[in-house]
Amino acid sequence: LSVSLFQAKSCICHMCGAHLNRLHSCLYCVFFGCFTKKHIHEHAKTKRHNLAIDLLYGGIYCFMCQDYIYDKDMEQIAKEEQRKAWKLQAFTPTVVSHYQCTMTGIGEKYSTWEPTKRELELLRHNPKRRKITTNCTIGLRGLINLGNTCFMNCIVQALTHTPLLRDFFLSDRHKCEMQSPSSCLVCEMSTLFQEFYSGHRSPHIPYRLLHLVWTHARHLAGYEQQDAHEFLIAALDVLHRHCKGDDNGKKANNPNHCNCIIDQIFTGGLQSDVTCQVCHGVSTTIDPFWDISLDLPGSSTPFWPLSPGSDGNVVNGESHVSGTTTLTDCLRRFTRPEHLGSSAKIKCSGCHSYQESTKQLTMKKLPIVACFHLKRFEHSAKLRRKITTYVSFPLELDMTPFMASSKESRMNGQYQQPTDSLNNDNKYSLFAVVNHQGTLESGHYTSFIRQHKDQWFKCDDAIITKASIKDVLDSEGYLLFYHKQFLEYE
Amino acid sequence: ACKMNKDAQMRATINQKLIETGERERLKELLRAKLIECGWKDQLKAHCKDVIKEKGLEHVTVDDLVAEITPKGRALVPDSVKKELLQRIRTFLAQHASL
């Protein structure tokens, strides 16, 4: 605030007192003058001080050349000073929009990309440019089924259409530090992205990817039918392990400290609160997660009743149409307080004895990409079957009601606004859906992916067809991939 | 002439208050974001490129560009953006009624 005051009082033209007319400062003496009214020009002429700086943008004006000049050294200094000034800002109110970063004065100030000498060289030597129009099919490519490998193909489609992952690989950010790069799954992913965005329309044959998966995730080897969800987790795990070179050093083994691209995108924090029913003391743990597995009605574990309050449904604009289960129903069930029963007493540190307690799960930290796994494959002692209950899921999802912070404010009696438009941090958009057709023993995986703005495509191994949003939302849904709508720039 | 001075003085006072409270910076950032969102920035950038192509890179000065794009820039600001900014300023003035 003191800076603003100082600015108000001293940043004015020395001749007319105005401050809005492209104020410039003389570089030879202490003089501020309007550019528009030519006051700085007069000063330059009479005093023969031929250099001035624009106080708004930092451009240097030369009165002899009668134009702004660009000096490399001055630009370097300007950049440095801007960076320093940025860090000094304690707090700037945020204006949340799709393109702006949330400005809190932390991290680096956003600056537009400028090519380095090397990049200019590369651009000159490779003159071919690809133009992306609204209806181009870039990024779409079929995958040959190598023998029941549809479980892998559908996940590959989802991953190659995860925007942040795509940006990471297409800008060549992976630095391989494996002993033999040919066994690095991250390198193979990089190649895969190159293949997908190459513009080739023939289906890709992912034999190298399959071989690497078999090598690093033995339980998935062989040509039997596998679970796409298991493949997703195994793939993320191997990618995370192989990301050693990408600025996370020796901490790769600790999931809580890793900063690899997989963790940056997929890792969230799940909070588990165990409340002692006697002393009401709460024991909290937070575990990292890559996906949320949701029970469905029709399984052997009871689905209803859900936790009190209909926040979830109101926020996500769903209405109960003749008993259709929704994704938010499943999330409400997932985050409901669960009485653990007299046979599962927990040792309470407050009571110093075993007591009955309730347990509740909430989201502590949301990942950038949230993957929901609808548990359709029942493998209980009694039966093995597929649950085909239709679960409706939205295009846009607000995770606010399921956050740990929301639970806290509910408990403190704070009124939760159902349409909290300022809380953009918890809003997600659907971008991929993996579906399974058939039975537990024999079935086929396909996926829907969002390619470009609102274009959806169905990926059935080698065959890619255009799909409507209705096709996507009417599908059964097995794995649902959501992407955060608003990203903080880091 | 007397009324003009009063208006100018009022404007200066309001401006002073806007700067002192930091509201001017906030309004600028809001405006900046809005103009990017609605594509205004891109439109003007394209226009600049056209002017440069016309006049030739070696002959055009910043002043030339400013002269060319200022009227266009002013005209291209969407009404909705103008309305929103005005509303913000009105709210601000209501809060600082001592003026």
Side-chain angles (χ1 to χ4, degrees):
Chain A
L1 207 64
S2 55
V3 173
S4 308
L5 265 169
F6 181 74
Q7 214 183 32
K9 299 216 161 86
S10 56
C11 277
I12 52 173
C13 173
H14 285 200
M15 287 190 81
C16 69
H19 61 273
L20 282 177
N21 303 318
R22 281 172 71 191
L23 210 58
H24 279 59
S25 165
C26 174
L27 283 176
Y28 290 80
C29 68
V30 180
F31 181 88
F32 294 162
C34 304
F35 191 92
T36 324
K37 300 264 165 76
K38 305 261 185 239
H39 295 155
I40 188 84
H41 296 70
E42 266 187 63
H43 172 84
K45 202 158 155 203
T46 46
K47 293 287 185 91
R48 296 210 224 168
H49 291 175
N50 285 320
L51 288 176
I53 185 169
D54 178 333
L55 285 178
L56 195 57
Y57 297 106
I60 310 228
Y61 193 87
C62 168
F63 288 94
M64 300 222 75
C65 302
Q66 294 205 13
D67 197 5
Y68 286 92
I69 50 163
Y70 306 99
D71 179 83
K72 271 218 172 74
D73 293 328
M74 290 304 287
E75 304 236 317
Q76 235 350 81
I77 296 172
K79 252 197 210 158
E80 257 314 300
E81 292 305 310
Q82 270 180 4
R83 253 214 300 263
K84 283 191 216 161
W86 174 255
K87 289 207 192 281
L88 283 175
Q89 283 175 341
F91 178 75
T92 313
T94 61
V95 174
V96 182
S97 75
H98 287 278
Y99 308 98
Q100 294 293 84
C101 52
T102 36
M103 301 186 291
T104 55
I106 54 166
E108 293 294 313
K109 178 179 199 247
Y110 174 76
S111 52
T112 47
W113 173 76
E114 275 172 33
T116 61
K117 264 207 193 108
R118 173 88 184 112
E119 282 163 348
L120 283 170
E121 242 182 81
L122 284 170
L123 284 169
R124 267 190 285 264
H125 282 145
N126 297 287
K128 184 172 175 201
R129 302 281 177 266
R130 186 169 291 142
K131 185 169 183 183
I132 313 252
T133 55
T134 37
N135 56 1
C136 75
T137 53
I138 192 119
L140 288 175
R141 208 162 166 199
L143 289 163
I144 297 284
N145 188 318
L146 296 167
N148 283 330
T149 58
C150 53
F151 72 92
M152 178 177 80
N153 289 347
C154 64
I155 298 297
V156 170
Q157 293 291 358
L159 291 177
T160 50
H161 290 91
T162 302
L164 280 185
L165 209 55
R166 176 201 63 204
D167 293 349
F168 176 83
F169 283 109
L170 289 182
S171 46
D172 235 357
R173 299 259 303 275
H174 171 57
K175 309 274 176 277
C176 194
E177 277 188 24
M178 296 270 291
Q179 298 277 7
S180 48
S182 59
S183 64
C184 173
L185 190 64
V186 191
C187 285
E188 182 53 34
M189 278 301 286
S190 194
T191 313
L192 205 64
F193 272 89
Q194 291 295 323
E195 290 287 343
F196 267 71
Y197 288 86
S198 61
H200 293 313
R201 297 176 71 103
S202 57
H204 175 67
I205 311 171
Y207 64 92
R208 253 202 322 263
L209 178 69
L210 188 64
H211 176 73
L212 276 175
V213 167
W214 284 354
T215 315
H216 294 292
R218 293 284 160 76
H219 60 287
L220 290 173
Y223 282 111
E224 307 116 44
Q225 301 198 14
Q226 308 283 357
D227 184 341
H229 173 248
E230 269 197 63
F231 175 78
L232 172 68
I233 299 303
L236 289 179
D237 185 54
V238 178
L239 287 171
H240 157 74
R241 279 190 277 131
H242 289 190
C243 272
K244 285 206 191 86
D246 309 325
D247 60 32
N248 67 350
K250 299 238 161 48
K251 295 176 184 164
N253 290 326
N254 186 341
N256 292 325
H257 289 281
C258 183
N259 203 26
C260 69
I261 189 69
I262 300 297
D263 276 325
Q264 281 180 48
I265 298 177
F266 295 97
T267 302
L270 189 64
Q271 180 165 322
S272 171
D273 296 313
V274 176
T275 310
C276 172
Q277 288 303 93
V278 175
C279 70
H280 299 290
V282 184
S283 160
T284 304
T285 50
I286 298 169
D287 290 307
F289 70 87
W290 277 333
D291 68 322
I292 298 286
S293 286
L294 301 168
D295 286 315
L296 299 180
S299 68
S300 47
T301 49
F303 187 82
W304 313 94
L306 304 178
S307 52
S310 56
D311 312 69
N313 297 82
V314 174
V315 167
N316 289 307
E318 293 162 341
S319 53
H320 274 283
V321 184
S322 55
T324 317
T325 314
T326 65
L327 177 66
T328 37
D329 285 334
C330 297
L331 283 167
R332 274 175 56 202
R333 184 185 179 280
F334 185 75
T335 52
R336 82 201 183 293
E338 194 188 341
H339 196 91
L340 292 177
S342 49
S343 52
K345 289 187 180 170
I346 305 284
K347 175 117 187 243
C348 172
S349 50
C351 301
H352 299 293
S353 59
Y354 285 87
Q355 303 292 354
E356 286 192 25
S357 49
T358 57
K359 174 176 137 175
Q360 186 173 18
L361 296 172
T362 47
M363 310 285 167
K364 177 70 181 170
K365 177 190 166 237
L366 290 172
I368 295 179
V369 170
C371 172
F372 298 107
H373 168 225
L374 302 179
K375 290 161 77 173
R376 294 193 177 282
F377 300 130
E378 176 128 36
H379 293 286
S380 66
K382 315 174 220 169
L383 25 78
R384 296 184 71 227
R385 64 188 172 117
K386 181 184 171 189
I387 300 166
T388 55
T389 318
Y390 172 69
V391 176
S392 87
F393 46 90
L395 265 183
E396 320 259 295
L397 176 69
D398 191 333
M399 290 292 287
T400 310
F402 313 109
M403 301 294 294
S405 49
S406 300
K407 176 192 162 195
E408 273 156 37
S409 24
R410 264 201 297 275
M411 279 166 47
N412 293 338
Q414 284 166 1
Y415 176 60
Q416 263 260 289
Q417 287 167 303
T419 45
D420 194 352
S421 56
L422 285 180
N423 197 357
N424 288 312
D425 211 34
N426 304 330
K427 295 205 166 115
Y428 285 81
S429 291
L430 185 69
F431 73 93
V433 178
V434 168
N435 285 304
H436 179 267
Q437 291 126 286
T439 64
L440 204 69
E441 291 80 30
S442 156
H444 181 56
Y445 282 104
T446 55
S447 56
F448 286 107
I449 47 111
R450 198 177 80 203
Q451 179 244 16
H452 206 77
K453 294 186 190 191
D454 290 316
Q455 310 287 332
W456 285 86
F457 289 86
K458 180 174 183 180
C459 304
D460 186 345
D461 286 331
I463 302 166
I464 312 282
T465 46
K466 186 112 180 41
S468 69
I469 291 180
K470 189 174 187 304
D471 292 333
V472 179
L473 297 179
D474 282 349
S475 66
E476 201 178 70
Y478 175 54
L479 296 175
L480 307 170
F481 292 85
Y482 286 85
H483 198 292
K484 255 196 197 178
Q485 283 180 16
F486 299 97
L487 298 176
E488 278 196 19
Y489 182 73
E490 271 185 64
Chain B
C2 199
K3 189 175 193 279
M4 279 270 277
N5 269 338
K6 256 197 166 170
D7 276 350
Q9 201 174 50
M10 174 107 282
R11 216 185 277 148
T13 320
I14 294 176
N15 223 327
Q16 185 94 338
K17 234 342 182 269
L18 280 171
I19 297 177
E20 279 174 17
T21 55
E23 181 69 9
R24 188 156 194 274
E25 274 305 310
R26 284 191 281 271
L27 287 173
K28 257 202 346 204
E29 283 313 318
L30 176 66
L31 181 59
R32 201 167 271 153
K34 294 268 158 201
L35 289 176
I36 293 176
E37 254 183 54
C38 70
W40 178 91
K41 189 174 175 186
D42 293 326
Q43 278 178 296
L44 280 187
K45 211 171 176 182
H47 190 56
C48 277
K49 286 189 183 159
D50 290 339
V51 172
I52 294 173
K53 261 192 220 147
E54 232 187 87
K55 301 224 156 125
L57 186 59
E58 301 306 319
H59 303 117
V60 75
T61 65
V62 175
D63 282 332
D64 291 335
L65 284 176
V66 170
E68 279 275 349
I69 69 170
T70 302
K72 186 145 196 224
R74 288 221 164 95
L76 282 176
V77 178
D79 283 337
S80 55
V81 176
K82 288 184 189 167
K83 272 200 189 119
E84 183 160 354
L85 265 277
L86 263 174
Q87 188 54 45
R88 281 285 290 252
I89 297 173
R90 276 206 189 97
T91 315
F92 173 80
L93 288 176
Q95 288 171 341
H96 293 78
S98 57
L99 284 173

